[in-house]
Amino acid sequence: MKTESRLFTGVAAFFAVSAAGYGWFAAEPAGTAVLAVAFLMAALVAFFCRVQYRRHGLRAQDHRDAEVRDTAGPLDFFSPHSPWPVIVALGAVLVALGIVYGLWLVLLGFGVLAPGVAGLVFQYARREGQRAGESSDGSGSGAGSGMSTRSS
């Protein structure tokens, strides 16, 4: 993630300079706003990549002599049967339709979207790094349980 972080930091810096220059010389608010939003999105991705790099360290892809097999295996837990993505999608559709048909539908959409996002984010909040195949006491049930599948 170190390389990706640097790449998106450069993209964010480009959009920041472009937004400042465009805002100064063009004095047109729509283009300036678009460039500012592009800067914010690139900065968000750069921040996420930097945090992931600090949290997990170097990945196998960051080494010059890495093989494809160095990254094999499960990397994290993914929920197999979660209803929250469907609820988030339904809320997003209601918000989008509300923009066309009226404010009442936007409010209804946000009423569906907010609990959906909260449920999606916090459904495994008390999991504390428990990996798939481990019991809740952390003893594990499979070979190599309790060990990270990432290579360093």
Side-chain angles (χ1 to χ4, degrees):
M1 292 286 184
K2 188 175 189 179
T3 305
E4 292 91 341
S5 173
R6 289 180 180 165
L7 174 73
F8 278 102
T9 300
V11 170
F14 169 77
F15 279 125
V17 170
S18 297
Y22 188 84
W24 180 268
F25 291 113
E28 193 257 323
T32 306
V34 167
L35 288 170
V37 168
F39 158 73
L40 291 173
M41 289 190 301
L44 178 68
V45 173
F47 175 74
F48 173 77
C49 290
R50 175 83 46 162
V51 167
Q52 291 300 313
Y53 170 68
R54 286 185 182 167
R55 184 177 296 166
H56 298 293
L58 289 174
R59 301 172 300 164
Q61 295 93 332
D62 295 327
H63 300 293
R64 293 193 184 276
D65 59 344
E67 298 287 331
V68 173
R69 62 186 163 92
D70 292 338
T71 60
L75 296 177
D76 212 343
F77 173 79
F78 300 99
S79 178
H81 304 289
S82 177
W84 298 114
V86 175
I87 295 171
V88 169
L90 179 64
V93 166
L94 287 174
V95 169
L97 287 174
I99 292 171
V100 175
Y101 291 112
L103 180 63
W104 65 274
L105 199 53
V106 171
L107 296 175
L108 183 66
F110 278 129
V112 172
L113 186 64
V117 169
L120 188 64
V121 169
F122 295 116
Q123 71 181 345
Y124 294 108
R126 288 181 257 137
R127 207 165 148 263
E128 291 298 324
Q130 178 182 349
R131 297 279 182 220
E134 289 186 9
S135 62
S136 61
D137 62 356
S139 62
S141 62
S145 64
M147 297 175 62
S148 174
T149 57
R150 291 186 179 261
S151 58
S152 51

